[in-house]
């Protein structure tokens, strides 16, 4: 047991990308929870820092996280750290020699890299910093091209590019373990995607959403506003079976005007299945259907392990549902003959979209399943009470992506913690937290008008150009 703890309880360092900063902590926590591991860090932990120290994990845990994260760049077994070179030296000399020994053998090869955050060092200064580590008992041979072991000296110069200190705020040294999956952002870029639309989700954000949802192999994942299937592509990459619905007939069937530059009409093979085929995951494609998200379609059981979606905000895509304000709708005379029928549609308010989405998730997610979706926000009026809640769903995280000076969208992650009961139907009457927030319905108007608050009154600024 002592020997196992010696390997499993070492301290590790994560080096994180400095974009999508608000999304990093929920992603790492979600990936650790897939292995039933807690997020245990140092007392000096700073969420905004690009370097996180993690405790109580094994190397296998770290490799598992790095095999999925797009927020993490690299991971290391931390051998020593400090705010000065003297502190680093002392910390390294205190690190157990038996932990270092397997990687310093005479027959081994190695190299040492120097990484600086927020500062560029010339080659001569990098060599000086490597030479200053000569007190470490390296016995192997240096091999810069293909070493067995890679070590890294990492220096943190803060995050202010206009005030870079002479000396780093913190220095770390450790053995490299694995890199994250940043390459997925490039290889799955929408620019290279076979089938795209006006609102196709960015590849990096798609994978972040799949990780927040804890999507894993053999899960069944559903997107009720599937569009061109960007979220299905990301979820299938992690081995999940995927399906979706959308009210837009042309998008589901891949027909009509193309969204790609210099292309007028979509080709006959442009569809969601072709996107999955492009990445070798078409065997995980269940199906997509033309359907109204506001209408009941599925049998009343919990069948989805995750629901990952990006509802329309009424900006690039309209928010519509089938129906009419008229009391009686006369069906077309040829309705029973099997001819195609285009149903009447009406506005689908954002407050209703989110209320329906949460109710759907409460009914159709398995216990422990997650709902991940985007919520558009008018920033001057935002408060946490605007985030829709449901008695069967627990809010896990709420991350902001700024769109403009006055608008943003928040990535909401919720987990199903109990099955629906009859009493839940009346919960919105007893608890105002479960009442749909009607203010979301004016998001489109505020997005285009650029409304600002002045002296407690709304004053219209210069209108923004419509997309």
């Amino acid at each position: 047991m002592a020997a196992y703890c010696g390997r499993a309880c070492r301290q590790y360092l994560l080096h994180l990308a400095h974009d999508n900063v608000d999304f990093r902590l929920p992603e790492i926590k979600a990936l650790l929870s897939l292995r039933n591991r807690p997020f245990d860090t140092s007392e000096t932990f700073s969420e905004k820092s690009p370097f996180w120290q993690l405790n109580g994990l094994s190397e296998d845990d770290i490799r598992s996280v790095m095999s999925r994260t797009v927020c993490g760049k690299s991971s290391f077994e931390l051998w020593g750290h400090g705010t000065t070179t003297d502190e680093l030296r002392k910390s390294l000399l205190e690190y157990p020699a038996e932990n270092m020994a397997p990687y310093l053998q005479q027959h081994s090869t190695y190299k040492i890299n120097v990484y600086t955050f927020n500062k560029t060092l010339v080659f001569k200064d990098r060599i000086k910093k490597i030479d200053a580590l000569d007190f470490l008992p390296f016995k192997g041979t240096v091999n810069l091209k293909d070493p067995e072991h890679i070590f890294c000296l990492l220096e943190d110069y803060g995050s202010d590019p206009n005030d870079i200190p002479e000396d780093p705020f913190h220095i770390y040294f450790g053995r490299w373990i694995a890199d994250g999956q940043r390459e997925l952002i490039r290889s799955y870029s929408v620019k290279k995607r076979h089938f795209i639309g006006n609102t196709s989700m960015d590849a990096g954000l798609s994978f972040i959403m799949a990780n927040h949802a804890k999507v894993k192999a053999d899960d069944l994942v559903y997107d009720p506003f599937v569009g061109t299937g960007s979220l299905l592509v990301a979820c299938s990459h992690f081995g999940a079976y995927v399906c979706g619905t959308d009210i837009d007939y042309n998008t589901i069937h891949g027909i009509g005007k193309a969204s790609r530059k210099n292309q007028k009409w979509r080709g006959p093979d442009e569809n969601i299945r072709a996107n999955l085929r492009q990445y070798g995951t078409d065997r995980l494609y269940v199906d997509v259907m033309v359907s109204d998200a506001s209408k009941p379609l599925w049998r009343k059981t919990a069948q989805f392990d995750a629901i990952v979606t990006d509802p329309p905000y009424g900006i690039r895509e309209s928010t519509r549902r089938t129906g009419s304000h008229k009391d009686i709708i006369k069906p077309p005379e040829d309705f029973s003959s099997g001819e195609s029928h285009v149903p009447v549609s009406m506005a689908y308010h954002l407050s209703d979209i989110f209320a329906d989405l949460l109710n759907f998730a409460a009914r159709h997610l398995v216990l422990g399943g997650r709902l991940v979706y985007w919520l558009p926000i008018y920033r001057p009026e935002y408060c946490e009470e605007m985030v829709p809640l449901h008695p069967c769903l627990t809010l896990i995280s709420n991350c902001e992506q700024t769109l403009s000076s006055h608008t943003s969208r928040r990535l909401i992650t919720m987990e199903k913690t109990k099955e629906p009961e009859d009493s839940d139907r009346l919960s919105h009457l007893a608890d105002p937290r479960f009442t749909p927030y009607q203010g979301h319905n004016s998001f489109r108007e505020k997005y285009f008008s650029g409304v600002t608050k002045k002296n407690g009154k709304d004053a219209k600024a210069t209108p923004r150009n419509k997309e």
Side-chain angles (χ1 to χ4, degrees):
M1 180 65 185
Y4 171 78
C5 190
R7 291 199 59 81
C9 300
R10 298 180 186 186
Q11 194 172 52
Y12 295 91
L13 181 73
L14 292 189
H15 172 209
L16 297 115
H18 210 59
D19 56 9
N20 294 318
V21 173
D22 213 22
F23 302 83
R24 301 184 309 187
L25 184 58
E27 188 200 46
I28 299 301
K29 284 185 174 181
L31 296 181
L32 285 172
S33 70
L34 283 173
R35 294 179 63 87
N36 297 316
R37 298 297 188 190
F39 182 84
D40 180 13
T41 187
S42 64
E43 294 180 358
T44 59
F45 171 72
S46 171
E47 185 178 342
K48 302 301 182 183
S49 170
F51 302 105
W52 294 354
Q53 300 174 47
L54 299 183
N55 307 315
L57 302 175
S58 69
E59 187 168 318
D60 286 342
D61 294 329
I62 295 297
R63 290 186 181 278
S64 176
V65 169
M66 301 311 289
S67 71
R68 294 191 46 148
T69 178
V70 292
C71 292
K73 297 182 73 173
S74 303
S75 59
F76 306 87
E77 179 189 334
L78 188 59
W79 284 12
H81 64 96
T83 57
T84 65
T85 53
D86 288 339
E87 286 186 9
L88 173 65
R89 179 187 178 95
K90 181 181 178 182
S91 178
L92 285 170
L93 292 174
E94 291 175 350
Y95 192 73
E98 61 271 20
N99 290 352
M100 292 186 180
Y103 312 102
L104 307 179
Q105 297 299 316
Q106 189 169 2
H107 62 271
S108 65
T109 59
Y110 72 96
K111 75 172 179 177
I112 300 177
N113 292 330
V114 176
Y115 173 81
T116 54
F117 179 75
N118 196 33
K119 187 172 185 176
T120 301
L121 296 180
V122 297
F123 179 75
K124 179 178 65 175
D125 291 337
R126 292 174 181 270
I127 295 300
K128 285 182 180 179
K129 291 180 180 292
I130 294 175
D131 290 342
L133 297 169
D134 59 359
F135 61 90
L136 291 174
F138 287 102
K139 299 177 183 178
T141 304
V142 173
N143 184 335
L144 299 180
K145 292 185 177 180
D146 187 26
E148 294 178 57
H149 310 299
I150 301 174
F151 302 90
C152 197
L153 181 72
L154 305 102
E155 297 185 337
D156 183 3
Y157 288 85
S159 57
D160 186 354
N162 299 315
D163 185 19
I164 303 174
E166 183 66 27
D167 298 314
F169 292 121
H170 213 99
I171 313 171
Y172 308 89
F173 183 84
R175 177 179 62 89
W176 174 81
I177 295 175
D179 288 333
Q181 302 303 306
R182 301 286 293 172
E183 167 61 19
L184 294 177
I185 299 175
R186 186 196 64 81
S187 59
Y188 278 76
S189 171
V190 174
K191 295 179 181 180
K192 303 177 182 179
R193 193 74 52 81
H194 188 72
F195 176 46
I196 62 171
N198 293 332
T199 58
S200 293
M201 181 64 64
D202 168 81
L205 292 175
S206 297
F207 284 106
I208 287 174
M209 292 177 72
N211 282 333
H212 282 209
K214 302 203 298 186
V215 171
K216 59 186 183 300
D218 298 327
D219 278 354
L220 179 60
V221 179
Y222 172 64
D223 182 354
F225 305 96
V226 70
T228 57
S230 293
L231 299 177
L232 302 192
V233 168
C235 292
S236 68
H237 174 81
F238 295 124
Y241 292 92
V242 294
C243 60
T245 57
D246 202 289
I247 198 172
D248 190 330
Y249 179 94
N250 286 348
T251 299
I252 288 292
H253 289 278
I255 59 177
K257 291 185 177 181
S259 299
R260 201 180 303 276
K261 187 178 180 180
N262 300 324
Q263 181 181 341
K264 188 172 183 180
W265 303 102
R266 288 174 174 145
D269 62 338
E270 291 189 50
N271 51 57
I272 296 175
R273 184 191 288 271
N275 278 349
L276 272 72
R277 187 182 301 117
Q278 178 181 352
Y279 301 106
T281 58
D282 52 317
R283 66 178 181 82
L284 300 169
Y285 176 80
V286 177
D287 208 349
V288 294
M289 297 175 286
V290 179
S291 176
D292 181 351
S294 69
K295 300 294 189 292
L297 170 68
W298 305 90
R299 53 189 172 88
K300 296 181 179 180
T301 58
Q303 60 265 80
F304 300 119
D305 298 287
I307 298 172
V308 185
T309 191
D310 181 26
Y313 319 143
I315 308 300
R316 286 191 176 97
E317 298 291 344
S318 62
T319 54
R320 307 293 294 175
R321 64 178 175 180
T322 56
S324 173
H325 294 292
K326 297 180 181 179
D327 293 332
I328 300 176
I329 301 296
K330 182 180 179 181
E333 295 180 358
D334 62 348
F335 181 75
S336 59
S337 66
E339 297 294 328
S340 61
H341 167 60
V342 179
V344 177
S345 67
M346 59 188 293
Y348 194 11
H349 296 302
L350 283 176
S351 59
D352 295 330
I353 288 178
F354 299 128
D356 290 346
L357 180 61
L358 266 61
N359 286 328
F360 180 89
R363 290 193 302 269
H364 296 286
L365 276 176
V366 300
L367 272 177
R370 287 193 169 187
L371 164 67
V372 179
Y373 71 96
W374 288 101
L375 177 72
I377 292 295
Y378 178 60
R379 299 182 74 197
E381 297 177 355
Y382 172 74
C383 61
E384 290 188 3
E385 288 73 18
M386 294 169 58
V387 178
L389 299 178
H390 192 282
C392 296
L393 305 173
T394 299
L395 181 64
I396 301 298
S397 62
N398 175 357
C399 311
E400 183 181 29
Q401 181 193 28
T402 301
L403 301 177
S404 70
S405 61
H406 62 282
T407 59
S408 68
R409 59 180 180 177
R410 306 191 76 93
L411 185 61
I412 307 299
T413 300
M414 311 184 83
E415 188 170 296
K416 182 174 176 178
T417 49
K418 80 179 191 75
E419 294 291 352
E421 301 173 358
D422 291 338
S423 58
D424 295 330
R425 298 178 182 177
L426 302 176
S427 60
H428 67 282
L429 299 176
D431 192 334
R433 295 178 304 164
F434 302 129
T435 302
Y437 173 70
Q438 301 297 321
H440 292 305
N441 298 334
S442 59
F443 174 77
R444 185 180 189 279
E445 290 72 21
K446 292 174 181 177
Y447 179 91
F448 285 125
S449 66
V451 175
T452 57
K453 288 284 186 179
K454 290 184 179 179
N455 300 323
K457 296 181 180 181
D458 288 341
K460 288 191 175 181
T462 303
R464 290 177 171 267
N465 292 328
K466 293 188 177 182
E467 296 183 358

